[in-house]
Every structure is written in C-alpha cells, then in structure tokens.
C-alpha cells in the first residue's frame, strides 16, 4: 500500500469527495459550538465563566447517548439496506440544525440548554456512522488513510472557524451569527450526504489475487 496510490484511489471517487466536504462542514458546526458557545452564553446570559462552560458542554451526555443509541438503531435498520446509514445521518442533521438555532436565539438559558441537548443527541447520528459510510465509498485497502484525510480536513475547517469567530467578534458582530452559519452548514451536510452513493469496493482478498491470463 502506497500513500500516493491511496490518495489517487480515494479522490478518484466522487462519493469520497462528497463525504470529505460533508465531514468538513460537520467540523465547522462542531468547532463553532465547542469554541464559541461558552463565550456566547457568558455574554448573552451574563453567566460566570465556569457556569457558561458547563452549560455550553451540557449537551455532551446527550451526545454520548446518541452515539450508542444511534449506532445500534442504524445497525438494525441497515441489515436490509446499507444506505440506511446515510439516511439516519441525514435525519439526525436535519434535527440538529434547529437545535443550534434554538440555543442561539432564545432569551432563556434553560431553552438554550434544551437546544444544545437536541443538537448533541441528533448530530451524533452522523458521528457514529462516519466510518461505516467511508467503508461504503472507499477501497478497503485505503480506509484508514481515508479516515485520516477526512479528519485532517475537518480539523482544518474547524480551526478556520475558530479564527473566523474571533474576527467577527473583533468586528463587533454578534456571535449568534456564527451559530446561524453553523446551523446552515448542518443542512448543507445533509444535502451532501444524501448525494453520496455507496460503491462496490474492491475486497482485500480480491486486491491480492493476480489477474487471470487471457
């Protein structure tokens, strides 16, 4: 297995490129919430730093439940059709986006936390299905490389998102705009993921079998 061959194989598949864009936009939303939600709650609801930090990460228990429950639910649904993995993730993203908007557009801290819980629970359906979806669109020999590429791109986009949030604050733009954009990115994620088409991948055993002579 050569790195160059792996990249060539991965990027020759349109569904892998769609999956990479999807994972990048999902990283945008995730990093926006992790990086800027504590500051938003601190300023919008006049919470202390500690209270704001705990409130902003209050969705994590819901996310932990979501990755287990969502994974088990998807495995059950996908026994007859592997594309159900994509459909469950799309459904979760369509629920997670309103959750962010609710958290960023309410005058009540309790409602904001409810929105974050909805976001954490529903968004985790996409998290738990990312590797299985990658397996549907990539050559088995290059799955680990593909996962590395996806995470690299998501972290790159997430880092830019953190910087952009700071630039908006310096320009006196309300942080709620960042979360509105994050919610929009989740809807874009759902659209991109819906376009992903599972492809028949070359099995490891097939890859090691020499071609038959003519």
């Amino acid at each position: 297995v050569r790195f160059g061959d792996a990249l060539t194989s991965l990027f020759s598949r349109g569904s892998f490129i769609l999956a990479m864009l999807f994972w990048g936009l999902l990283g945008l939303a995730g990093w926006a919430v992790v990086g800027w939600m504590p500051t938003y709650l601190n300023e919008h609801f006049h919470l202390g730093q500690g209270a704001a930090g705990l409130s902003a990460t209050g969705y994590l228990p819901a996310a932990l439940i979501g990755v287990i429950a969502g994974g088990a639910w998807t495995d059950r649904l996908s026994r007859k059709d592997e594309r159900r993995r994509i459909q469950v993730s799309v459904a979760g993203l369509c629920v997670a986006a309103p959750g962010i908007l609710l958290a960023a557009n309410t005058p009540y801290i309790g409602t904001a936390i409810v929105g974050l819980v909805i976001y954490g629970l529903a968004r985790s359906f996409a998290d738990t299905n990312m590797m299985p979806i990658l397996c549907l669109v990539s050559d088995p020999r290059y799955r680990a490389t593909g996962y590395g590429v996806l995470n690299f791109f998501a972290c790159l986009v997430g880092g830019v998102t953190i910087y952009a949030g700071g630039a908006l604050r310096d320009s006196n733009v309300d942080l709620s705009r960042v979360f509105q954009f994050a919610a929009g990115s989740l809807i874009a994620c759902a659209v991109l993921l819906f376009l992903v088409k599972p492809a028949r991948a070359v099995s490891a055993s097939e890859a090691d079998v020499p071609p038959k002579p003519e």
Side-chain angles (χ1 to χ4, degrees):
V1 174
R2 293 182 175 85
F3 183 64
D5 293 341
L7 293 182
T8 299
S9 173
L10 292 167
F11 284 99
S12 67
R13 301 180 181 224
S15 287
F16 175 80
I17 296 174
L18 289 174
M20 184 182 72
L21 295 175
F22 150 73
W23 200 235
L25 288 175
L26 193 63
L28 184 156
W31 284 54
V33 172
V34 170
W36 289 113
M37 187 59 74
T39 301
Y40 174 78
L41 296 181
N42 167 252
E43 296 178 351
H44 192 70
F45 296 107
H46 308 291
L47 300 178
Q49 290 285 356
L54 287 174
S55 299
T57 56
Y59 69 90
L60 291 178
L64 293 175
I65 294 172
V67 292
I68 300 298
W73 183 41
T74 306
D75 283 342
R76 183 177 180 82
L77 292 177
S78 63
R79 286 185 298 179
K80 294 183 179 180
D81 183 3
E82 281 292 325
R83 188 166 172 77
R84 295 289 178 85
R85 299 189 182 280
I86 295 174
Q87 294 168 351
V88 169
S89 299
V90 168
L93 292 169
C94 290
V95 174
I100 291 184
L101 291 177
L102 179 63
N105 293 277
T106 177
Y108 305 108
I109 181 62
T111 306
I113 293 175
V114 169
L116 288 173
V117 168
I118 293 172
Y119 159 76
L121 181 68
R123 175 240 156 89
S124 61
F125 290 2
D127 290 332
T128 198
N129 278 301
M130 190 61 238
M131 177 54 86
I133 290 172
L134 175 62
C135 292
L136 294 177
V137 302
S138 63
D139 187 315
R141 295 171 294 177
Y142 308 129
R143 285 172 181 167
T145 302
Y147 202 61
V149 171
L150 294 181
N151 281 314
F152 167 80
F153 186 66
C155 290
L156 182 64
V157 172
V160 172
T161 301
I162 297 296
Y163 177 83
L168 290 175
R169 281 176 55 79
D170 290 341
S171 300
N172 297 316
V173 176
D174 195 297
L175 275 176
S176 63
R177 299 293 184 185
V178 174
F179 304 120
Q180 292 169 6
F181 192 75
S185 74
L186 290 180
I187 298 300
C189 282
V191 173
L192 288 171
L193 194 55
F194 190 77
L195 296 175
V196 170
K197 305 296 183 185
R200 179 184 178 276
V202 178
S203 68
S205 59
E206 289 175 326
D208 293 334
V209 175
K212 295 181 179 179
E214 296 292 339

